[in-house]
Amino acid sequence: MAQAKESKVTNILKLDNEEYFLRNPFQLTRNNQDRTMDDSWDAAFTFFKMWFSAVVALIMFPAMFGVSLGITEAYMKVLVKTLEWATLRIQKGRGEQQMLKASPSNGIIERGDGSMEQEMGELRRCRPKPPTGGDFTLSDVFYFNRKGFESIMEDQVTQRFTSEELVSWNLLTRTNNNFQYISLRLTVLWGLGLLIRYCFLAPLRITLATIGLSWLVIGTSIVGLLPSSRAKNWLSELVHLMCYRICARGLSATIHYHNKENRPKKGGLCVANHTSPIDVVILANDGCYAMVGQVHGGLMGVIQRSMVKSCPHIWFERSEMKDRHLVTQRLKDHVADQTKLPILIFPEGTCINNTSVMMFKKGSFEIGGTIYPVAIKYDPQFGDAFWNSAKYSMISYLLRMMTSWAIVCNVWYLPPMTQEEGEDAVQFANRVKSAIAHQGGLVDLSWDGGLKRSKVKEAFREEQQRKYSNMVVGDDSSD
């Protein structure tokens, strides 16, 4: 009897439901959509959980402890083979067409290395200078004309702030300035590479960068709560090192360190050539440094404030940066303490395209102490590390780095250098700069990198005018 009543009730409910959905057909559709949406969210959450677990287990944890599972090495081997094959296809497709010739200066004109006196002497060889003093010849005009044309066509400063030319195409659209359609297979390979870089590598690298920066802020803030002690210093260095290693993996960075016995020691100054903001990540991946810079706002300000809680980094307010004596004194006080981390300084003051080393500001060499020179040389075949700040914002630049193939570079630690007796700060800076340029295979230039934002100083023009005046009217003209 009870079963009959229950069956009757069930039938009534079914009839009611059928009648309800017949009267409200959209409700059934809405319910199905809700179930589909829930299933989609469950699938997305499961995928994200698997993705995050794989990133943490296979990349993050090994990076934190400086261990490699061979994933980056295998990726680089496949990448090298792929680019080699692409280069052969380009050469085959172009036949006998000459490829771009690699040179340290990317020059399109040949320059003379002689001084004004030597080059004008060549022009005056048909009319020797009288022994009584200076003179003027009409041929002198050709010297200044030639220098003017050289500066218009290819001056030694402007070309240092553009990306380095590549010998062969590296399958990145951003470097495809001199290469056109070659073959269908090469085009398919480029399309496959585009999918890999933007759909797999970019999300992976953004995930690692987010983890690294978050851990840097959280870790340094927690360590900063501890009282000053050796344990705090050790934990601070450990947190910094771990975070920078995670960020380096986020760039697929392959870094070769040479002469590690010359690594900067506490109480010294590490001086390096400057190509990109990631220079800091490259160097800090192998050791900890005290950073020097201006106080920023936004996300960078949050990172700076958290870092300084656990480590004595040196941040200056904008008004303090103009006080040269205050800056120098704070740096001297830091160097005088042999227990503090070495200061990392880029004396060029701006990013150069990694083909040369430009003038080092003398302020870094007036502090005293031991200078530890470091040469950094990037391989542009896998990705252009140069930051053209006039063309790209920081966000745009980082996105370009995240979508490059990889960052490959060599780092050379040079023997420590100290200021010699009778040597001023300018001479010391030039000696260190020459050593870095020679070791890194870079062009040693005496020009100020600040010229990319300012005009040539009047003092330089006056010096050239004085030299020519002495040649024309004699060296004793000022008497």
Side-chain angles (χ1 to χ4, degrees), residues 301-335:
V302 173
I303 296 174
Q304 285 181 325
R305 288 191 295 271
S306 61
M307 289 173 63
V308 80
K309 291 178 182 178
S310 64
C311 181
H313 298 289
I314 305 174
W315 309 127
F316 295 99
E317 296 290 346
R318 182 181 296 272
S319 58
E320 294 177 333
M321 292 294 289
K322 298 178 181 179
D323 190 341
R324 186 161 167 259
H325 296 289
L326 176 62
V327 173
T328 302
Q329 187 58 46
R330 287 189 61 182
L331 294 177
K332 285 182 177 180
D333 294 340
H334 184 102
V335 171

Side-chain angles (χ1 to χ4, degrees), residues 35-54:
R35 287 195 206 98
T36 305
M37 185 65 68
D38 292 339
D39 293 340
S40 300
W41 278 111
D42 291 340
F45 179 75
T46 303
F47 174 78
F48 175 77
K49 186 167 61 175
M50 294 175 60
W51 170 268
F52 188 78
S53 300

Side-chain angles (χ1 to χ4, degrees), residues 11 13-14 39 41 102 120 151 153 164 167-168 171 176 196 218 244 279 283 332 355 362 410 413 415 458:
N11 292 331
L13 290 175
K14 286 183 178 179
D39 293 340
W41 278 111
M120 281 194 175
S151 298
M153 292 295 296
E164 184 179 359
V167 177
S168 61
L171 300 179
N176 189 15
I196 293 174
I218 296 171
Y244 285 123
D279 291 341
L283 293 177
K332 285 182 177 180
T355 62
K362 67 176 182 177
N410 287 278
Y413 297 111
E458 288 295 331

Side-chain angles (χ1 to χ4, degrees), residues 44 67 159 250 420:
V67 178
Q159 62 176 322
E420 297 178 349

Side-chain angles (χ1 to χ4, degrees), residues 52-53 84 104 132 136 164 183 226 239 254 338 385 390 404-405 439:
F52 188 78
S53 300
E84 287 177 352
T132 55
F136 169 78
E164 184 179 359
S183 68
L226 301 176
V239 169
T254 300
Q338 297 297 317
S404 295
W405 291 117
Q439 180 63 74

Side-chain angles (χ1 to χ4, degrees), residues 254-258 282 375-379 408-412:
T254 300
I255 314 168
H256 305 285
Y257 297 99
H258 307 275
I282 297 299
I376 306 174
K377 178 60 179 176
Y378 293 91
D379 189 342
V408 179
C409 70
N410 287 278
V411 176
W412 289 274

Side-chain angles (χ1 to χ4, degrees), residues 169-231:
W169 187 33
N170 59 359
L171 300 179
L172 296 177
T173 308
R174 68 199 64 161
T175 57
N176 189 15
N177 297 322
N178 301 294
F179 303 96
Q180 291 80 34
Y181 175 82
I182 301 296
S183 68
L184 178 61
R185 282 190 289 180
L186 196 63
T187 303
V188 171
L189 180 62
W190 169 81
L192 180 61
L194 188 70
L195 290 175
I196 293 174
R197 289 187 293 110
Y198 282 88
C199 299
F200 177 73
L201 291 179
L204 174 63
R205 291 166 177 172
I206 292 173
T207 301
L208 287 171
T210 303
I211 293 173
L213 292 177
S214 300
W215 175 233
L216 179 65
V217 173
I218 296 171
T220 51
S221 298
I222 294 174
V223 173
L225 299 176
L226 301 176
S228 298
S229 62
R230 289 185 178 181

